[in-house]
Amino acid sequence: MKPPETPMMRKRRVQRIGLYVLIALIVLELLDFLVAQWTNGSVLLLLVLAAINAALIVQYFMHIGELFAPEEETH
Amino acid sequence: MATEALAREHHVAAISPARRIAMNRMGLWLFILSDAFFFAGIFVSRFYLWGATRPHLDQVLGMTVTIVLLVSSYFMYRAEMAIRHDDRGDYLRSILMTILLGVVFMAGVVGFEWRTSPVNLRTEGEFAVYGSVLFFMTGMHAFHVLTGVILLAILAYRGYKGHFSSRNYWAVQAGAIYWHFVDVVWVFFYPALYLMGVAVGPVHH
């Protein structure tokens, strides 16, 4: 049986999620740069990559889901 | 008059804390939306004025300041999660790191890019528009970073004084949402300024 998660364990777990998001964001920025070199600065592709980046930030860092959550669950 | 004021006071007091936070959150997102429209206008003007071209900007500097801002967003997230779990030490360390990275970003853009850019506000002739757009986009964004840094400094001070906890962290979350929004704007501005289209005009010195 798994031991119950303490607040500190929970904090570390959610902070680890943030670290994974950061790594994804940096990889996408590097991809941005490479795509720009390969495609001579394709506006469409770079816009798609920027939108993915923005979606990750809005979802994980800005917690947009809390905007629509029941009031009791948010602070 | 006094009765009206009393009635309003009573109404405000009757709103539950959870409801008040939900209303504050909605208000903040509406502000973010209005600011997003402002930045979207600048973003579109870049394509109207530059088309499928861009000035020769320092690619290493562009990538570096972008990564610095992304890392700052991570530390802001870390600070928010720390205070949500009553870890004041981690909160203070993380928010101070965010402030430091914000200052490094501003130094990179305003201190280096503005000084070394091959186009600036004194550029004349056919390339004058490159300087105008570059300085307007980066200037308005840097202004938002500056206001964010001031806001975070206030949050750090209040955190140091013990004003926040796992039961009272809305101010921290609001500051974090604003900071991440500034990051989202740059995620679009960076490729628009440094990567999209073909580089033309004077070369970097």
Side-chain angles (χ1 to χ4, degrees):
Chain A
M1 199 170 134
K2 245 173 98 173
E5 193 179 41
T6 64
M8 278 303 116
M9 283 162 70
R10 190 178 140 66
K11 188 200 83 172
R12 275 196 286 273
R13 182 170 59 76
V14 292
Q15 285 184 339
R16 205 161 40 239
I17 293 171
L19 189 61
Y20 296 149
V21 174
L22 172 67
I23 291 166
L25 291 171
I26 291 174
V27 168
L28 280 167
E29 285 305 333
L30 295 173
L31 196 63
D32 246 10
F33 181 78
L34 293 175
V35 165
Q37 307 306 310
W38 294 332
T39 64
N40 226 356
S42 163
V43 173
L44 186 65
L45 281 175
L46 292 170
L47 269 180
V48 169
L49 285 171
I52 296 170
N53 255 324
L56 282 172
I57 296 170
V58 171
Q59 174 66 31
Y60 289 99
F61 287 172
M62 295 173 84
H63 319 290
I64 195 164
E66 289 186 4
L67 191 58
F68 310 106
E71 280 167 26
E72 295 77 34
E73 289 179 19
T74 62
H75 205 290
Chain B
M1 200 71 147
T3 322
E4 262 179 48
L6 270 174
R8 206 177 308 123
E9 240 173 65
H10 176 73
H11 176 70
V12 170
I15 300 171
S16 71
R19 179 88 186 123
R20 204 173 303 146
I21 296 288
M23 286 159 64
N24 287 347
R25 180 173 284 115
M26 180 58 79
L28 177 66
W29 275 96
L30 287 174
F31 161 72
I32 296 282
L33 188 67
S34 67
D35 219 14
F37 275 107
F38 167 71
F39 279 114
I42 304 177
F43 188 72
V44 170
S45 70
R46 174 257 180 253
F47 291 99
Y48 181 72
L49 294 168
W50 287 4
T53 63
R54 60 179 165 85
H56 285 282
L57 297 178
D58 188 338
Q59 292 292 331
V60 175
L61 184 59
M63 177 62 80
T64 306
V65 293
T66 302
I67 290 174
V68 164
L69 200 61
L70 290 173
V71 175
S72 82
S73 242
Y74 162 70
F75 276 102
M76 193 60 234
Y77 170 83
R78 211 182 139 90
E80 189 194 338
M81 290 305 126
I83 206 68
R84 274 190 186 205
H85 293 85
D86 285 317
D87 189 343
R88 201 148 65 98
D90 193 8
Y91 166 75
L92 285 173
R93 279 191 301 276
S94 298
I95 203 163
L96 289 175
M97 193 67 188
T98 311
I99 293 170
L100 176 69
L101 291 168
V103 171
V104 170
F105 174 84
M106 275 195 298
V109 173
V110 178
F112 287 94
E113 192 59 271
W114 283 14
R115 267 192 322 138
T116 59
S117 167
V119 287
N120 54 46
L121 294 175
R122 291 184 299 278
T123 306
E124 289 177 353
E126 59 176 317
F127 297 111
V129 71
Y130 288 95
S132 303
V133 171
L134 171 72
F135 276 65
F136 190 46
M137 286 176 81
T138 54
M140 285 315 301
H141 184 265
F143 175 70
H144 278 71
V145 174
L146 177 65
T147 53
V149 164
I150 293 168
L151 180 64
L152 296 187
I154 294 168
L155 290 173
Y157 175 75
R158 289 192 59 197
Y160 174 72
K161 288 282 178 186
H163 292 183
F164 305 126
S165 68
S166 61
R167 293 193 301 150
N168 175 27
Y169 60 84
W170 161 246
V172 176
Q173 194 177 35
I177 289 173
Y178 179 75
W179 189 257
H180 298 311
F181 167 69
V182 171
D183 199 9
V184 167
V185 171
W186 188 253
V187 155
F188 285 96
F189 275 22
Y190 163 64
L193 291 168
Y194 289 84
L195 303 176
M196 289 176 181
V198 182
V200 294
V203 180
H204 209 277
H205 54 266

